């Protein structure tokens, strides 16, 4: 047996690009309530520093802990969730069809709440979303969404986006999962 000292030819293609390595695994966007809480925290912070009032420092600590707890709990909610999409056997152009979405919570003791799943074509989401209120620990749930492809051909769903606003709806935390699925439309 001989051992090669260099990398295999397939190894460079498997590495992610520099942009994918620098991009954070999660996306965070503000909701209206989240913007209000952050602006309020900044205002209370400036007031606390200017006046030196202990009550304002206490309020600032409460607001910041509220924001941090929201980030930690939403991260725990998104962990260890897997999604499987099941298209129907035949899809015809101009006719609506139901795409089944099955989500599995692999956490042994913690349920996940307020989960949204949407398919991606390229990087843009499809116009429909699936919403799951509660996924118990170690269980799966399924739902479906209705969609219509206008033209015939082969469509590639690049993956899906899984998101949550749990627990306080201050932020919408999401992650994109690359899971290509080809759909043939007759």
């Amino acid at each position: 047996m001989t051992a090669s000292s260099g990398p295999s030819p397939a190894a460079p293609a498997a590495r992610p690009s520099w942009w994918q390595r620098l991009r954070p695994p999660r996306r965070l966007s503000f909701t209206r309530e989240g913007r209000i809480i952050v602006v309020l925290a900044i205002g209370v912070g400036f007031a606390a520093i200017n006046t030196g009032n202990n009550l304002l420092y206490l309020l600032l600590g409460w607001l910041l802990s509220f924001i941090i707890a929201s980030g930690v709990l939403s991260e725990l909610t998104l962990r260890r969730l897997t999604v499987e999409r099941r298209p129907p056997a035949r899809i015809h152009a101009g006719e609506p069809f139901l795409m089944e979405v099955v989500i599995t919570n692999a956490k042994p003791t913690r349920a996940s709440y307020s989960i949204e799943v949407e398919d991606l074509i390229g990087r843009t989401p499809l116009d429909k979303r699936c919403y799951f209120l509660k996924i118990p620990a170690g269980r799966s749930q399924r739902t479906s969404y209705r969609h219509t492809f206008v033209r015939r051909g082969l469509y590639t769903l690049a993956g899906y986006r899984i998101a949550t606003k749990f627990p306080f709806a201050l932020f919408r935390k999401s992650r994109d999962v690359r899971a290509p699925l080809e759909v043939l439309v007759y």
Side-chain angles (χ1 to χ4, degrees):
M1 289 188 165
T2 62
S4 66
S5 60
S8 67
R15 294 182 63 197
S17 69
W18 65 273
W19 175 251
Q20 290 173 339
R21 282 183 270 157
L22 291 178
R23 197 173 124 221
R26 305 279 190 264
R27 289 186 186 166
L28 194 66
S29 59
F30 288 98
T31 61
R32 183 185 59 194
E33 295 82 7
R35 281 190 211 105
I36 292 170
I37 292 293
V38 168
V39 167
L40 190 62
I42 291 171
V44 168
F46 280 131
I49 290 171
N50 282 339
T51 63
N53 189 339
N54 287 339
L55 184 59
L56 290 178
Y57 280 113
L58 182 67
L59 183 59
L60 176 65
W62 179 81
L63 287 170
L64 293 178
S65 66
F66 194 62
I67 292 169
I68 291 170
S70 176
V72 169
L73 290 173
S74 65
E75 181 65 30
L76 290 175
T77 296
L78 285 180
R79 285 208 175 150
R80 300 185 68 187
L81 294 177
T82 57
V83 174
E84 181 184 354
R85 299 161 298 164
R86 298 177 185 161
R90 290 183 176 257
I91 300 172
H92 296 279
E95 294 181 9
F97 67 93
L98 291 176
M99 174 74 83
E100 184 179 19
V101 177
V102 179
I103 189 164
T104 304
N105 183 1
K107 295 185 286 283
T109 58
R110 184 178 303 274
S112 289
Y113 299 94
S114 185
I115 302 294
E116 292 177 352
V117 178
E118 54 190 349
D119 278 326
L120 300 173
I121 295 181
R123 289 187 179 202
T124 60
L126 209 57
D127 57 346
K128 305 292 183 179
R129 293 182 184 168
C130 293
Y131 182 76
F132 299 90
L133 182 61
K134 179 183 177 184
I135 306 162
R139 304 279 306 271
S140 295
Q141 285 191 358
R142 70 186 69 225
T143 190
S144 57
Y145 66 86
R146 184 179 305 270
H147 185 68
T148 304
F149 285 114
V150 180
R151 293 178 297 184
R152 300 179 304 163
L154 185 63
Y155 290 86
T156 301
L157 302 175
Y160 56 88
R161 180 173 293 152
I162 187 165
T164 186
K165 291 182 183 177
F166 181 78
F168 308 121
L170 299 179
F171 311 102
R172 183 178 190 265
K173 186 178 280 190
S174 65
R175 68 179 161 105
D176 292 351
V177 178
R178 183 165 162 70
L181 176 69
E182 291 185 343
V183 177
L184 180 62
V185 178
Y186 295 102

